Amino acid sequence: ALDAENEAIYRARKAKTAFRAEILSNGDTVKQLLARSRYVLYRRPDAWSESQKERADLLFEKYPKLKQAYNLSINLSNIFEKTTDKLYGLARLAKWHEAVRQSGFKSFNTISRSIQYHYQTILNYFDKRSTNASAESFNAKIKAFRSQFRGVRSIEFFLYRLTQLYA
């Protein structure tokens, strides 16, 4: 859509005529709709303001594939937010994977494959609803600490300093 509008602007300049962009019902041009809808797509539908709802309706009416992709991402989010049972989570993830396969979106295939390969450890999330975020955070702190001193000469002293700072 952006390329089409840029091409239309180029043709209008070449023909020495004024370019008039299509104005949608909410007052946006198509280019503005796409630019302003980015933040709409980051939020859940129940958190949208009235103008965001109107913008989303226009966007999804004009680009139905975008609506399908948005729904896939919201459905995946719902699985992790609302599922508390491992078995039910596995079934919902399998249904989501099938929906991704049927949609034909290549961008979702990567996450779908990752979930398939690691489903046993991912399903552990539904037991206690905990992730490995704290371990990843601590690992990042260790890497930052190591890079601050440009490497480690003595592993024993490095571990000693880590325990003094973070234990």
Side-chain angles (χ1 to χ4, degrees), residues 9-77:
I9 292 170
Y10 174 74
R11 282 193 309 252
R13 282 185 186 158
K14 200 171 184 179
K16 295 184 180 177
T17 61
F19 172 74
R20 300 244 187 255
E22 175 190 359
I23 304 291
L24 301 171
S25 63
N26 68 343
D28 289 345
T29 64
V30 175
K31 208 174 196 179
Q32 289 171 334
L33 175 71
L34 289 170
R36 294 173 181 169
S37 296
R38 181 176 59 186
Y39 298 109
V40 171
L41 297 175
Y42 290 148
R43 301 176 81 189
R44 302 183 65 77
D46 54 350
W48 289 343
S49 67
E50 286 303 315
S51 63
Q52 288 175 328
K53 286 178 187 174
E54 183 181 0
R55 189 168 284 136
D57 289 340
L58 284 170
L59 183 71
F60 292 152
E61 179 184 314
K62 198 155 188 69
Y63 303 102
K65 285 277 193 190
L66 193 57
K67 180 178 184 174
Q68 187 181 8
Y70 178 75
N71 286 335
L72 281 172
S73 67
I74 290 296
N75 288 342
L76 181 61
S77 177

Side-chain angles (χ1 to χ4, degrees), residues 82-101:
K82 298 179 179 171
T83 307
T84 56
D85 183 51
K86 238 183 190 181
L87 199 56
Y88 188 57
L90 177 62
R92 289 187 71 190
L93 283 172
K95 285 181 184 175
W96 183 84
H97 171 71
E98 183 60 26
V100 167
R101 192 186 64 72

